[in-house]
Amino acid sequence: MAKPDELFAEDQGVFMISVAARLAGMHPQTLRIYETKGLVSPKRTRGNTRLYSEADLERLRLIQRLTTELGLNLAGVEVVLRLEDELRRAHERLERLDRQRREEIQNVHKQYRRDLVLYQAPRPVPTRQH
Amino acid sequence: MAKPDELFAEDQGVFMISVAARLAGMHPQTLRIYETKGLVSPKRTRGNTRLYSEADLERLRLIQRLTTELGLNLAGVEVVLRLEDELRRAHERLERLDRQRREEIQNVHKQYRRDLVLYQAPRPVPTRQH
DNA sequence: AGCACGTTCACGTGGCGTGAGGGTCC
DNA sequence: AGGACCCTCACGCCACGTGAACGTGC
């Protein structure tokens, strides 16, 4: 079966280069090249062995799609990764701004409703318990 | 100086391939390749001569930057152009949403102020001039 | 008639993946 | 002691830019 250290590594959700390469469908040497170009940055053990996390693997699979399916070179991959990150953050900002918009409108409504009650019903205002 | 048809073309803001190539710092043949790959789509004269608009030139200069400065291949250029377009539209949506947000809050304020005036001052409401 | 246009083909270079060789760590 | 890791070097392939050849339109 699999070797003890491989099993151990996979149990941790962390993979050494041979396993990561197999899971990403790549040559181990290719992964080393990607690291020198700054496309992935796996951790290292004390013995200097690369350890690929799940996030690293996800990134590898994305790169795999860009290079083999779409035919990008590494320079293109770098730019695309950056742009996709920007785009993701832009969408997050959209989400946040929309939520903020709704909340602010609600708050304005609440504020005025409180004021309206004061004018409409000039009886003793219920003070909050002290 | 320049040949009559070149001058004519430039006056129109439209350039034949040799002029466009010079302005973009590229080989004319390169521009033809880009067209077959769908990266630029210049108009044609009845005689089938390519005519590059200012927008085409701007696009060419962007491609020039991506390929020579950043080292992308054409597949990468295609993806990057698409992503930059998406990003631009996302920013436009952000602008629009933010403006809408301010407007809506203003409208709520206006609405309540009108109501408050009715409660506060039960004299004839000053109607706006008709 | 000539010049710049059109298309197609061929060559050269460079990027990238793959493998081999040799050293090191469990 | 063996196996997988580390790194560096070398080969091969393919994409792309550039030029040449040849035909066509103004």
Side-chain angles (χ1 to χ4, degrees), chain A residues 92-117:
Chain A
E92 285 173 7
R93 267 193 289 164
L94 267 171
E95 281 295 318
R96 223 175 326 121
L97 187 59
D98 195 54
R99 212 176 324 118
Q100 179 186 349
R101 175 178 136 267
R102 296 174 200 278
E103 283 176 12
E104 284 182 356
I105 292 175
Q106 284 307 314
N107 286 342
V108 175
H109 277 297
K110 276 186 199 150
Q111 178 63 36
Y112 277 107
R113 281 200 202 101
R114 208 164 14 212
D115 293 347
L116 279 176
V117 167

Side-chain angles (χ1 to χ4, degrees), chain A residues 28-83:
Chain A
Q29 196 62 15
T30 305
L31 269 61
R32 297 193 181 100
I33 295 175
Y34 287 178
E35 186 178 5
T36 69
K37 304 233 175 183
L39 294 177
V40 281
S41 304
K43 298 281 182 216
R44 303 279 188 131
T45 64
R46 281 151 297 133
N48 216 27
T49 296
R50 277 167 260 251
L51 289 184
Y52 292 83
S53 69
E54 281 290 350
D56 290 330
L57 260 180
E58 203 47 51
R59 198 172 176 86
L60 284 177
R61 280 190 269 253
L62 174 53
I63 297 176
Q64 168 80 325
R65 240 196 59 230
L66 292 174
T67 55
T68 69
E69 285 184 31
L70 299 180
L72 301 226
N73 62 8
L74 300 188
V77 168
E78 196 179 331
V79 176
V80 167
L81 288 180
R82 188 169 48 74
L83 281 179

